[in-house]
Amino acid sequence: MKWTTEAENELSRVPFFVRRHVRKRVEAEAAQFRASEVTPGHIDSCRKKFLGAMEQEVRGYQVEICFGTGSCPNRAVADGELAKELEEMLEGKAIRSLLEKRVRGPLKLHHEFRVSVSDCPNACSRPQIVDVGLIGAQRPGVTDEPCTRCLACVETCKEDAIELSDDGKPPRIDPDKCVWCGQCISVCPSRTLEKNASGYRLLIGGKLGRRPQLAQEIAGIYSKGEVLAAVEKCVDHYLEMNVRGERFGEILRRTGSEFLPEVSRDKTEQ
């Protein structure tokens, strides 16, 4: 549905992590009035209805995905089922019921347990500031295939993480600069660079609010099955240790991440 410039400007003031949800709700509001375009009036009408019934909107959890899912050329992984399986798992945890018992006052959207899935290190869905963030990753490895020195990998790498020496040796990848985007793998014609591992990076405990903090990354690249198991352990720890509806990051300040023993070890060399 078409939006007026004024309406788009109003929408831009909405926090990014609920902006897509708000867009859908406002368009549904406009559709009820058989409007051909969305105006600021539709946003105001939707806002009044929403604020009056926010507690009914709280499910207890949110699963967010990046904007490019399904078509983005930057994707390091492409698993359209992960978000759905995460939703199913979270739905079974009855998080809202716990929040109703622990939160003093009405439930609000910021009380929800948030999981964010990004298919590549561009991280459009902001996995660094949610309870559990997942970032798609492909770690490149150097094979025995001779390098043609075409420089495609060097030119593609936005991090300047790849070096080619003049002595004919294979490419060298700087592990401190590489973000495991996999772009160099896709452009290497000689297969000198190939996928060494693929899956997801795991970040936990990020949040905004009065005491914002970036999520802590648990070193390694994890398979879909490992991700689902790790997220479930995070949710179980959140449910067990939650005192008053606080965010997962606040709980981790008290407890640390030792409840994740099977993923706390460094997996970067596996």
Side-chain angles (χ1 to χ4, degrees):
M1 181 178 287
K2 183 179 178 182
W3 286 55
T4 65
T5 301
E6 294 80 4
E8 287 284 6
N9 289 337
E10 283 286 320
L11 183 66
S12 69
R13 299 188 181 97
V14 174
F16 67 85
F17 49 84
V18 294
R19 196 171 297 159
R20 280 187 294 172
H21 178 71
V22 170
R23 180 181 286 273
K24 288 170 125 182
R25 293 296 299 270
V26 172
E27 289 181 349
E29 179 79 8
Q32 287 184 352
F33 293 95
R34 300 176 184 268
S36 59
E37 63 180 5
V38 175
T39 68
H42 296 125
I43 296 176
D44 188 55
S45 174
C46 196
R47 181 188 294 116
K48 289 176 180 177
K49 290 181 180 178
F50 176 73
L51 291 176
M54 182 184 294
E55 190 163 19
Q56 284 69 47
E57 295 286 327
V58 177
R59 292 190 299 167
Y61 67 89
Q62 286 188 30
V63 177
E64 301 161 358
I65 58 176
C66 55
F67 304 123
T69 298
S71 60
C72 179
N74 296 317
R75 287 180 299 170
V77 293
D79 191 327
E81 295 298 310
L82 178 58
K84 178 182 177 182
E85 292 181 38
L86 286 167
E87 288 241 7
E88 291 172 351
M89 182 270 290
L90 291 165
E91 179 65 27
K93 294 295 181 179
I95 299 174
R96 180 187 165 96
S97 296
L98 174 129
L99 291 174
E100 288 174 334
K101 296 174 183 176
R102 305 286 171 82
V103 173
R104 300 166 187 169
L107 296 183
K108 297 183 179 179
L109 289 177
H110 69 258
H111 289 126
E112 294 187 315
F113 190 94
R114 289 200 179 120
V115 179
S116 174
V117 183
S118 287
D119 287 347
C120 81
N122 287 347
C124 297
S125 57
R126 304 296 194 273
Q128 302 92 345
I129 52 174
V130 295
D131 300 300
V132 177
L134 304 170
I135 302 177
Q138 282 194 43
R139 183 173 63 231
V142 180
T143 71
D144 294 330
E145 294 295 329
C147 175
T148 63
R149 304 186 65 75
C150 67
L151 296 180
C153 60
V154 175
E155 293 169 357
T156 298
C157 182
K158 297 181 177 66
E159 312 302 323
D160 295 325
I162 303 176
E163 294 181 5
L164 279 178
S165 60
D166 296 329
D167 56 10
K169 290 183 179 180
R172 179 185 175 278
I173 301 173
D174 187 336
D176 293 326
K177 292 182 178 180
C178 181
V179 295
W180 301 343
C181 69
Q183 296 295 304
C184 60
I185 300 170
S186 63
V187 300
C188 180
S190 61
R191 296 188 176 178
T192 304
L193 296 179
E194 284 201 336
K195 180 170 58 180
N196 178 270
S198 67
Y200 295 89
R201 293 161 55 193
L202 173 63
L203 296 81
I204 61 174
K207 70 187 190 74
L208 295 177
R210 295 177 66 176
R211 297 181 68 187
Q213 66 186 37
L214 291 177
Q216 165 197 353
E217 182 163 357
I218 306 299
I221 295 179
Y222 300 91
S223 69
K224 176 180 173 181
E226 290 172 322
V227 161
L228 289 168
V231 175
E232 184 166 19
K233 279 190 173 290
C234 287
V235 176
D236 289 344
H237 188 71
Y238 167 78
L239 293 172
E240 179 184 359
M241 305 303 296
N242 198 294
V243 176
R244 58 184 184 279
E246 66 269 32
R247 294 293 299 275
F248 190 42
E250 295 178 35
I251 292 173
L252 292 178
R253 282 178 178 171
R254 301 196 310 263
T255 70
S257 59
E258 288 75 16
F259 65 93
L260 282 172
E262 73 274 22
V263 297
S264 292
R265 66 186 185 280
D266 188 341
K267 294 183 58 176
T268 56
E269 297 302 322
Q270 297 183 23

Short mmCIF file of all heavy atoms in Angstrom, two decimals, residues 64-69 74-78 82 115-128 132-137 199-201 203:
data_model
loop_
_atom_site.label_atom_id
_atom_site.label_comp_id
_atom_site.label_asym_id
_atom_site.label_seq_id
_atom_site.Cartn_x
_atom_site.Cartn_y
_atom_site.Cartn_z
N GLU A 64 12.80 -12.05 15.29
CA GLU A 64 12.97 -11.08 14.21
C GLU A 64 13.93 -11.64 13.17
O GLU A 64 14.89 -12.33 13.51
CB GLU A 64 13.51 -9.76 14.78
CG GLU A 64 12.61 -9.16 15.84
CD GLU A 64 13.33 -8.13 16.71
OE1 GLU A 64 14.56 -7.94 16.50
OE2 GLU A 64 12.69 -7.56 17.60
N ILE A 65 13.67 -11.34 11.92
CA ILE A 65 14.55 -11.76 10.83
C ILE A 65 15.01 -10.55 10.05
O ILE A 65 14.39 -9.49 10.11
CB ILE A 65 13.87 -12.78 9.89
CG1 ILE A 65 12.59 -12.17 9.29
CG2 ILE A 65 13.54 -14.07 10.65
CD1 ILE A 65 11.91 -13.08 8.28
N CYS A 66 16.09 -10.71 9.31
CA CYS A 66 16.63 -9.58 8.56
C CYS A 66 15.76 -9.29 7.34
O CYS A 66 14.96 -10.12 6.90
CB CYS A 66 18.08 -9.83 8.15
SG CYS A 66 18.36 -11.34 7.22
N PHE A 67 15.96 -8.12 6.75
CA PHE A 67 15.12 -7.66 5.66
C PHE A 67 15.32 -8.45 4.37
O PHE A 67 14.44 -8.54 3.54
CB PHE A 67 15.38 -6.17 5.38
CG PHE A 67 15.18 -5.30 6.57
CD1 PHE A 67 16.20 -4.49 7.04
CD2 PHE A 67 14.00 -5.30 7.26
CE1 PHE A 67 16.02 -3.68 8.15
CE2 PHE A 67 13.80 -4.51 8.38
CZ PHE A 67 14.82 -3.69 8.82
N GLY A 68 16.51 -9.03 4.20
CA GLY A 68 16.83 -9.64 2.91
C GLY A 68 16.56 -11.12 2.81
O GLY A 68 16.95 -11.76 1.83
N THR A 69 15.92 -11.71 3.81
CA THR A 69 15.70 -13.15 3.81
C THR A 69 15.02 -13.59 2.52
O THR A 69 13.99 -13.08 2.14
CB THR A 69 14.84 -13.55 5.02
OG1 THR A 69 15.56 -13.21 6.20
CG2 THR A 69 14.56 -15.04 5.01
N ASN A 74 23.85 -11.13 -0.10
CA ASN A 74 24.90 -11.21 0.93
C ASN A 74 24.74 -12.39 1.87
O ASN A 74 25.58 -12.60 2.75
CB ASN A 74 24.90 -9.92 1.77
CG ASN A 74 25.27 -8.70 0.95
OD1 ASN A 74 26.18 -8.75 0.15
ND2 ASN A 74 24.54 -7.62 1.16
N ARG A 75 23.69 -13.17 1.71
CA ARG A 75 23.43 -14.25 2.66
C ARG A 75 24.61 -15.22 2.77
O ARG A 75 25.10 -15.73 1.78
CB ARG A 75 22.19 -15.05 2.23
CG ARG A 75 20.88 -14.32 2.44
CD ARG A 75 19.72 -15.18 1.99
NE ARG A 75 19.82 -15.48 0.56
CZ ARG A 75 19.07 -16.37 -0.07
NH1 ARG A 75 18.19 -17.08 0.61
NH2 ARG A 75 19.22 -16.57 -1.35
N ALA A 76 25.02 -15.47 4.00
CA ALA A 76 26.04 -16.48 4.25
C ALA A 76 25.40 -17.85 4.46
O ALA A 76 26.01 -18.88 4.20
CB ALA A 76 26.89 -16.10 5.47
N VAL A 77 24.18 -17.84 5.00
CA VAL A 77 23.38 -19.06 5.14
C VAL A 77 21.97 -18.74 4.69
O VAL A 77 21.56 -17.58 4.69
CB VAL A 77 23.35 -19.57 6.60
CG1 VAL A 77 24.72 -20.06 7.03
CG2 VAL A 77 22.83 -18.51 7.55
N ALA A 78 21.24 -19.77 4.30
CA ALA A 78 19.86 -19.57 3.83
C ALA A 78 19.01 -20.72 4.36
O ALA A 78 18.86 -21.74 3.70
CB ALA A 78 19.81 -19.51 2.31
N LEU A 82 14.51 -21.89 10.12
CA LEU A 82 15.04 -21.65 11.46
C LEU A 82 14.13 -20.75 12.28
O LEU A 82 13.81 -21.05 13.44
CB LEU A 82 16.45 -21.06 11.39
CG LEU A 82 17.09 -20.72 12.74
CD1 LEU A 82 17.17 -21.95 13.64
CD2 LEU A 82 18.47 -20.10 12.55
N VAL A 115 14.63 -12.84 20.07
CA VAL A 115 15.64 -13.57 19.30
C VAL A 115 15.70 -12.93 17.92
O VAL A 115 14.66 -12.69 17.30
CB VAL A 115 15.30 -15.07 19.18
CG1 VAL A 115 16.36 -15.79 18.34
CG2 VAL A 115 15.18 -15.71 20.54
N SER A 116 16.90 -12.65 17.45
CA SER A 116 17.07 -12.02 16.14
C SER A 116 17.96 -12.89 15.26
O SER A 116 19.02 -13.34 15.69
CB SER A 116 17.70 -10.63 16.31
OG SER A 116 18.01 -10.07 15.06
N VAL A 117 17.52 -13.11 14.02
CA VAL A 117 18.27 -13.93 13.07
C VAL A 117 18.68 -13.07 11.88
O VAL A 117 17.83 -12.48 11.21
CB VAL A 117 17.42 -15.12 12.57
CG1 VAL A 117 18.24 -16.00 11.63
CG2 VAL A 117 16.88 -15.93 13.73
N SER A 118 19.97 -13.00 11.63
CA SER A 118 20.51 -12.32 10.44
C SER A 118 21.23 -13.34 9.59
O SER A 118 22.00 -14.15 10.11
CB SER A 118 21.47 -11.20 10.83
OG SER A 118 20.79 -10.10 11.37
N ASP A 119 21.00 -13.29 8.29
CA ASP A 119 21.61 -14.28 7.40
C ASP A 119 23.06 -13.98 7.05
O ASP A 119 23.74 -14.81 6.45
CB ASP A 119 20.80 -14.37 6.10
CG ASP A 119 19.47 -15.07 6.30
OD1 ASP A 119 19.29 -15.70 7.36
OD2 ASP A 119 18.61 -14.99 5.41
N CYS A 120 23.55 -12.78 7.40
CA CYS A 120 24.94 -12.43 7.08
C CYS A 120 25.46 -11.44 8.10
O CYS A 120 24.70 -10.89 8.90
CB CYS A 120 25.02 -11.85 5.66
SG CYS A 120 24.58 -10.10 5.54
N PRO A 121 26.76 -11.17 8.11
CA PRO A 121 27.35 -10.25 9.10
C PRO A 121 26.89 -8.79 8.98
O PRO A 121 27.19 -8.00 9.88
CB PRO A 121 28.86 -10.36 8.84
CG PRO A 121 29.03 -11.70 8.22
CD PRO A 121 27.82 -11.88 7.36
N ASN A 122 26.17 -8.44 7.90
CA ASN A 122 25.61 -7.08 7.85
C ASN A 122 24.62 -6.86 8.98
O ASN A 122 24.38 -5.73 9.40
CB ASN A 122 24.94 -6.83 6.50
CG ASN A 122 25.93 -6.67 5.38
OD1 ASN A 122 27.13 -6.51 5.61
ND2 ASN A 122 25.46 -6.73 4.15
N ALA A 123 24.01 -7.94 9.45
CA ALA A 123 23.19 -7.94 10.68
C ALA A 123 22.09 -6.88 10.67
O ALA A 123 21.98 -6.08 11.60
CB ALA A 123 24.09 -7.77 11.90
N CYS A 124 21.27 -6.89 9.62
CA CYS A 124 20.21 -5.89 9.48
C CYS A 124 19.21 -5.94 10.63
O CYS A 124 18.59 -4.92 10.96
CB CYS A 124 19.47 -6.07 8.17
SG CYS A 124 20.50 -5.84 6.70
N SER A 125 19.02 -7.10 11.24
CA SER A 125 18.01 -7.22 12.30
C SER A 125 18.59 -6.94 13.69
O SER A 125 17.97 -7.24 14.69
CB SER A 125 17.36 -8.61 12.27
OG SER A 125 18.35 -9.62 12.38
N ARG A 126 19.78 -6.38 13.75
CA ARG A 126 20.42 -5.92 14.99
C ARG A 126 20.54 -7.02 16.06
O ARG A 126 20.05 -6.87 17.18
CB ARG A 126 19.63 -4.74 15.58
CG ARG A 126 19.44 -3.56 14.64
CD ARG A 126 20.77 -2.92 14.27
NE ARG A 126 20.60 -1.63 13.66
CZ ARG A 126 20.40 -1.41 12.36
NH1 ARG A 126 20.37 -2.42 11.54
NH2 ARG A 126 20.25 -0.18 11.87
N PRO A 127 21.18 -8.14 15.74
CA PRO A 127 21.31 -9.22 16.72
C PRO A 127 22.19 -8.87 17.91
O PRO A 127 22.19 -9.60 18.90
CB PRO A 127 21.95 -10.35 15.90
CG PRO A 127 22.67 -9.66 14.78
CD PRO A 127 21.82 -8.47 14.45
N GLN A 128 22.92 -7.77 17.84
CA GLN A 128 23.82 -7.40 18.94
C GLN A 128 23.08 -6.80 20.14
O GLN A 128 23.66 -6.64 21.20
CB GLN A 128 24.86 -6.39 18.45
CG GLN A 128 25.70 -6.89 17.30
CD GLN A 128 25.12 -6.51 15.94
OE1 GLN A 128 23.95 -6.13 15.82
NE2 GLN A 128 25.93 -6.61 14.90
N VAL A 132 18.96 -13.00 22.42
CA VAL A 132 19.79 -13.95 21.69
C VAL A 132 19.86 -13.52 20.23
O VAL A 132 18.82 -13.33 19.59
CB VAL A 132 19.23 -15.39 21.76
CG1 VAL A 132 20.09 -16.33 20.92
CG2 VAL A 132 19.18 -15.88 23.20
N GLY A 133 21.07 -13.32 19.73
CA GLY A 133 21.27 -12.93 18.34
C GLY A 133 22.00 -14.01 17.57
O GLY A 133 22.94 -14.63 18.09
N LEU A 134 21.59 -14.23 16.34
CA LEU A 134 22.21 -15.23 15.47
C LEU A 134 22.64 -14.56 14.18
O LEU A 134 21.86 -13.81 13.57
CB LEU A 134 21.23 -16.36 15.16
CG LEU A 134 20.63 -17.07 16.39
CD1 LEU A 134 19.50 -17.99 15.96
CD2 LEU A 134 21.71 -17.85 17.12
N ILE A 135 23.88 -14.81 13.77
CA ILE A 135 24.41 -14.20 12.55
C ILE A 135 24.95 -15.31 11.65
O ILE A 135 25.83 -16.08 12.05
CB ILE A 135 25.55 -13.21 12.87
CG1 ILE A 135 25.06 -12.11 13.81
CG2 ILE A 135 26.10 -12.61 11.58
CD1 ILE A 135 26.15 -11.13 14.23
N GLY A 136 24.43 -15.38 10.43
CA GLY A 136 24.90 -16.37 9.47
C GLY A 136 26.38 -16.19 9.16
O GLY A 136 26.87 -15.06 9.06
N ALA A 137 27.09 -17.31 9.03
CA ALA A 137 28.54 -17.22 8.84
C ALA A 137 29.05 -18.36 7.95
O ALA A 137 28.56 -19.49 8.02
CB ALA A 137 29.25 -17.27 10.20
N GLY A 199 27.31 -21.91 9.30
CA GLY A 199 26.28 -22.00 10.34
C GLY A 199 25.99 -20.63 10.88
O GLY A 199 25.87 -19.66 10.13
N TYR A 200 25.95 -20.52 12.20
CA TYR A 200 25.58 -19.26 12.83
C TYR A 200 26.54 -18.90 13.96
O TYR A 200 26.98 -19.76 14.71
CB TYR A 200 24.16 -19.34 13.41
CG TYR A 200 23.10 -19.51 12.36
CD1 TYR A 200 22.72 -20.78 11.95
CD2 TYR A 200 22.48 -18.41 11.78
CE1 TYR A 200 21.76 -20.95 10.98
CE2 TYR A 200 21.51 -18.57 10.81
CZ TYR A 200 21.15 -19.84 10.41
OH TYR A 200 20.20 -20.01 9.45
N ARG A 201 26.84 -17.62 14.06
CA ARG A 201 27.48 -17.08 15.24
C ARG A 201 26.39 -16.86 16.30
O ARG A 201 25.25 -16.55 15.96
CB ARG A 201 28.18 -15.77 14.92
CG ARG A 201 29.36 -15.94 13.99
CD ARG A 201 29.76 -14.64 13.32
NE ARG A 201 30.04 -13.56 14.27
CZ ARG A 201 30.16 -12.28 13.93
NH1 ARG A 201 30.02 -11.92 12.66
NH2 ARG A 201 30.44 -11.38 14.83
N LEU A 203 25.20 -14.88 19.80
CA LEU A 203 25.39 -13.75 20.70
C LEU A 203 24.28 -13.76 21.74
O LEU A 203 23.11 -14.02 21.41
CB LEU A 203 25.36 -12.43 19.94
CG LEU A 203 26.46 -12.17 18.89
CD1 LEU A 203 26.14 -12.84 17.57
CD2 LEU A 203 26.63 -10.67 18.67
#
